[in-house]
Amino acid sequence: MSFKETLSKAREQRGMTQQELSDKLYVTRQAVSRWENGETEPSVDMRKLIANVLDVPVIQLLDIDVSELCQCCGTPFTVPNMPHGTDADGEENIEYCKWCYDGGKFMYSSEEELIEKTAPFLMEATGMSQDEAVSFMGVLVPNLKHWQ
């Protein structure tokens, strides 16, 4: 489900009007309306606030299918030439990328280390600022299989 559909549905399930939601988020009603009709989309940090106000998981508001991602770093396997990781016996492991999992070993010992080392690549690929990339990864990474 798209962000605009998820937002509208979650708001309506809580019996809130656009005005009531906007008051809790300290934005205009028009901002909520534009989000719900797909004209604009809020930042990751605003989505965190929306999730808190509507009591929904933040990942639900990111419109991401985590099954299509490396289950350690979140890089999409749709990236051209994205190599899969390998198990200790050399067999390909389709859940992880080579940069996170190689020869049966994970390259990162904590979510923080992963985010610190990979946020610059996300910034380069998407044009996000450092704060945006770190915030995005902070929401995504805990929802990936390796970190649960």
Side-chain angles (χ1 to χ4, degrees):
M1 188 179 315
S2 70
F3 170 77
K4 67 181 187 176
E5 294 166 329
T6 303
L7 175 62
S8 179
K9 182 179 177 182
R11 178 183 57 75
E12 290 169 359
Q13 285 177 337
R14 274 128 194 102
M16 296 176 77
T17 65
Q18 288 182 345
Q19 185 64 55
E20 290 168 332
L21 179 58
S22 70
D23 290 345
K24 292 182 181 290
L25 298 173
Y26 301 99
V27 299
T28 64
R29 186 206 52 80
Q30 290 82 359
V32 174
S33 176
R34 286 191 300 271
W35 297 335
E36 288 188 1
N37 67 31
E39 284 181 44
T40 62
E41 292 201 5
S43 68
V44 172
D45 287 334
M46 179 55 76
R47 290 176 199 230
K48 288 178 180 179
L49 182 57
I50 294 167
N52 187 36
V53 168
L54 295 178
D55 193 29
V56 297
V58 181
I59 194 76
Q60 186 177 330
L61 296 178
L62 291 179
D63 191 24
I64 295 174
D65 181 359
V66 296
S67 69
E68 302 288 322
L69 309 176
C70 168
Q71 292 299 301
C72 180
C73 70
T75 301
F77 283 113
T78 55
V79 170
N81 304 314
M82 176 73 165
H84 285 99
T86 56
D87 294 324
D89 61 5
E91 288 292 315
E92 182 179 70
N93 185 309
I94 63 168
E95 291 187 310
Y96 302 104
C97 73
K98 183 172 183 65
W99 298 291
C100 290
Y101 185 72
D102 193 27
K105 295 181 182 175
F106 286 99
M107 304 298 133
Y108 304 104
S109 59
S110 69
E111 292 177 36
E112 293 78 17
E113 178 189 12
L114 167 78
I115 292 170
E116 180 183 328
K117 291 186 177 179
T118 60
F121 299 111
L122 180 60
M123 293 163 51
E124 182 179 330
T126 65
M128 287 182 181
S129 70
Q130 182 175 2
D131 288 343
E132 290 169 325
V134 169
S135 184
F136 175 80
M137 292 185 77
V139 170
L140 177 63
V141 170
N143 289 279
L144 300 172
K145 180 181 176 180
H146 178 63
W147 304 106
Q148 293 184 346

